mmCIF file of all heavy atoms in Angstrom:
data_model
loop_
_atom_site.group_PDB
_atom_site.id
_atom_site.type_symbol
_atom_site.label_atom_id
_atom_site.label_comp_id
_atom_site.label_asym_id
_atom_site.label_seq_id
_atom_site.Cartn_x
_atom_site.Cartn_y
_atom_site.Cartn_z
ATOM 1 N N VAL A 433 -21.195 7.790 -7.152
ATOM 2 C CA VAL A 433 -21.517 7.088 -8.392
ATOM 3 C C VAL A 433 -23.010 7.263 -8.647
ATOM 4 O O VAL A 433 -23.820 7.144 -7.730
ATOM 5 C CB VAL A 433 -21.191 5.586 -8.288
ATOM 6 C CG1 VAL A 433 -21.550 4.852 -9.569
ATOM 7 C CG2 VAL A 433 -19.725 5.369 -7.929
ATOM 8 N N ALA A 434 -23.373 7.526 -9.901
ATOM 9 C CA ALA A 434 -24.784 7.662 -10.257
ATOM 10 C C ALA A 434 -25.065 6.919 -11.549
ATOM 11 O O ALA A 434 -24.234 6.884 -12.455
ATOM 12 C CB ALA A 434 -25.165 9.134 -10.402
ATOM 13 N N ALA A 435 -26.219 6.325 -11.615
ATOM 14 C CA ALA A 435 -26.669 5.632 -12.820
ATOM 15 C C ALA A 435 -27.576 6.550 -13.611
ATOM 16 O O ALA A 435 -28.450 7.215 -13.048
ATOM 17 C CB ALA A 435 -27.408 4.364 -12.430
ATOM 18 N N ALA A 436 -27.367 6.573 -14.912
ATOM 19 C CA ALA A 436 -28.233 7.341 -15.815
ATOM 20 C C ALA A 436 -28.624 6.406 -16.951
ATOM 21 O O ALA A 436 -28.105 6.481 -18.051
ATOM 22 C CB ALA A 436 -27.512 8.580 -16.327
ATOM 23 N N GLY A 437 -29.525 5.495 -16.638
ATOM 24 C CA GLY A 437 -29.906 4.499 -17.628
ATOM 25 C C GLY A 437 -31.316 4.683 -18.130
ATOM 26 O O GLY A 437 -32.201 5.110 -17.398
ATOM 27 N N GLY A 438 -31.498 4.349 -19.389
ATOM 28 C CA GLY A 438 -32.818 4.388 -19.987
ATOM 29 C C GLY A 438 -33.323 5.802 -20.199
ATOM 30 O O GLY A 438 -32.582 6.780 -20.084
ATOM 31 N N THR A 439 -34.593 5.888 -20.502
ATOM 32 C CA THR A 439 -35.215 7.187 -20.743
ATOM 33 C C THR A 439 -35.961 7.653 -19.489
ATOM 34 O O THR A 439 -36.152 6.877 -18.548
ATOM 35 C CB THR A 439 -36.214 7.100 -21.913
ATOM 36 O OG1 THR A 439 -37.263 6.192 -21.548
ATOM 37 C CG2 THR A 439 -35.529 6.620 -23.191
ATOM 38 N N ALA A 440 -36.401 8.880 -19.504
ATOM 39 C CA ALA A 440 -37.105 9.446 -18.353
ATOM 40 C C ALA A 440 -38.395 8.693 -18.039
ATOM 41 O O ALA A 440 -38.832 8.663 -16.890
ATOM 42 C CB ALA A 440 -37.388 10.918 -18.589
ATOM 43 N N ASP A 441 -38.988 8.066 -19.053
ATOM 44 C CA ASP A 441 -40.228 7.316 -18.810
ATOM 45 C C ASP A 441 -39.986 5.822 -18.616
ATOM 46 O O ASP A 441 -40.914 5.024 -18.699
ATOM 47 C CB ASP A 441 -41.241 7.576 -19.923
ATOM 48 C CG ASP A 441 -40.725 7.163 -21.295
ATOM 49 O OD1 ASP A 441 -39.561 6.727 -21.401
ATOM 50 O OD2 ASP A 441 -41.500 7.293 -22.263
ATOM 51 N N GLY A 442 -38.717 5.459 -18.352
ATOM 52 C CA GLY A 442 -38.399 4.083 -17.996
ATOM 53 C C GLY A 442 -38.221 3.129 -19.162
ATOM 54 O O GLY A 442 -38.101 1.924 -18.961
ATOM 55 N N GLU A 443 -38.153 3.657 -20.355
ATOM 56 C CA GLU A 443 -37.959 2.797 -21.521
ATOM 57 C C GLU A 443 -36.471 2.624 -21.815
ATOM 58 O O GLU A 443 -35.623 3.288 -21.232
ATOM 59 C CB GLU A 443 -38.669 3.407 -22.749
ATOM 60 C CG GLU A 443 -40.168 3.517 -22.586
ATOM 61 C CD GLU A 443 -40.855 2.165 -22.456
ATOM 62 O OE1 GLU A 443 -40.438 1.205 -23.139
ATOM 63 O OE2 GLU A 443 -41.803 2.056 -21.655
ATOM 64 N N VAL A 444 -36.179 1.749 -22.762
ATOM 65 C CA VAL A 444 -34.805 1.550 -23.213
ATOM 66 C C VAL A 444 -34.406 2.729 -24.095
ATOM 67 O O VAL A 444 -35.169 3.138 -24.965
ATOM 68 C CB VAL A 444 -34.678 0.217 -23.985
ATOM 69 C CG1 VAL A 444 -33.300 0.096 -24.639
ATOM 70 C CG2 VAL A 444 -34.937 -0.950 -23.054
ATOM 71 N N GLY A 445 -33.226 3.260 -23.841
ATOM 72 C CA GLY A 445 -32.735 4.406 -24.605
ATOM 73 C C GLY A 445 -31.833 5.249 -23.731
ATOM 74 O O GLY A 445 -31.372 4.793 -22.678
ATOM 75 N N THR A 446 -31.566 6.465 -24.156
ATOM 76 C CA THR A 446 -30.750 7.365 -23.345
ATOM 77 C C THR A 446 -31.477 8.702 -23.202
ATOM 78 O O THR A 446 -32.266 9.080 -24.042
ATOM 79 C CB THR A 446 -29.352 7.602 -23.971
ATOM 80 O OG1 THR A 446 -29.509 8.107 -25.285
ATOM 81 C CG2 THR A 446 -28.541 6.330 -23.980
ATOM 82 N N SER A 447 -31.163 9.391 -22.137
ATOM 83 C CA SER A 447 -31.808 10.669 -21.842
ATOM 84 C C SER A 447 -30.751 11.691 -21.445
ATOM 85 O O SER A 447 -30.064 11.517 -20.434
ATOM 86 C CB SER A 447 -32.806 10.486 -20.693
ATOM 87 O OG SER A 447 -33.145 11.737 -20.122
ATOM 88 N N ALA A 448 -30.653 12.746 -22.238
ATOM 89 C CA ALA A 448 -29.713 13.818 -21.912
ATOM 90 C C ALA A 448 -30.031 14.422 -20.551
ATOM 91 O O ALA A 448 -29.122 14.750 -19.776
ATOM 92 C CB ALA A 448 -29.744 14.890 -23.000
ATOM 93 N N GLU A 449 -31.303 14.546 -20.239
ATOM 94 C CA GLU A 449 -31.702 15.121 -18.960
ATOM 95 C C GLU A 449 -31.243 14.247 -17.793
ATOM 96 O O GLU A 449 -30.717 14.749 -16.800
ATOM 97 C CB GLU A 449 -33.220 15.286 -18.925
ATOM 98 C CG GLU A 449 -33.735 15.867 -17.632
ATOM 99 C CD GLU A 449 -35.259 15.976 -17.594
ATOM 100 O OE1 GLU A 449 -35.873 16.097 -18.666
ATOM 101 O OE2 GLU A 449 -35.807 15.930 -16.483
ATOM 102 N N LEU A 450 -31.431 12.937 -17.902
ATOM 103 C CA LEU A 450 -30.990 12.036 -16.818
ATOM 104 C C LEU A 450 -29.474 12.057 -16.665
ATOM 105 O O LEU A 450 -28.951 12.009 -15.550
ATOM 106 C CB LEU A 450 -31.464 10.606 -17.087
ATOM 107 C CG LEU A 450 -32.965 10.342 -16.979
ATOM 108 C CD1 LEU A 450 -33.277 8.887 -17.312
ATOM 109 C CD2 LEU A 450 -33.489 10.709 -15.595
ATOM 110 N N ILE A 451 -28.773 12.110 -17.785
ATOM 111 C CA ILE A 451 -27.306 12.139 -17.741
ATOM 112 C C ILE A 451 -26.823 13.424 -17.057
ATOM 113 O O ILE A 451 -25.970 13.373 -16.162
ATOM 114 C CB ILE A 451 -26.721 12.022 -19.165
ATOM 115 C CG1 ILE A 451 -27.081 10.676 -19.788
ATOM 116 C CG2 ILE A 451 -25.204 12.230 -19.139
ATOM 117 C CD1 ILE A 451 -26.857 10.595 -21.300
ATOM 118 N N ALA A 452 -27.371 14.553 -17.452
ATOM 119 C CA ALA A 452 -26.962 15.832 -16.852
ATOM 120 C C ALA A 452 -27.286 15.855 -15.364
ATOM 121 O O ALA A 452 -26.464 16.287 -14.541
ATOM 122 C CB ALA A 452 -27.652 16.987 -17.576
ATOM 123 N N ARG A 453 -28.459 15.356 -15.008
ATOM 124 C CA ARG A 453 -28.853 15.328 -13.594
ATOM 125 C C ARG A 453 -27.906 14.439 -12.784
ATOM 126 O O ARG A 453 -27.471 14.803 -11.687
ATOM 127 C CB ARG A 453 -30.287 14.830 -13.463
ATOM 128 C CG ARG A 453 -30.836 14.997 -12.064
ATOM 129 C CD ARG A 453 -32.263 14.528 -11.882
ATOM 130 N NE ARG A 453 -33.120 14.862 -13.008
ATOM 131 C CZ ARG A 453 -34.146 14.128 -13.429
ATOM 132 N NH1 ARG A 453 -34.463 13.020 -12.831
ATOM 133 N NH2 ARG A 453 -34.872 14.499 -14.457
#
Side-chain angles (χ1 to χ4, degrees):
V433 179
T439 63
D441 60 357
E443 297 296 322
V444 172
T446 57
S447 163
E449 180 182 333
L450 291 178
I451 296 165
R453 190 180 320 148

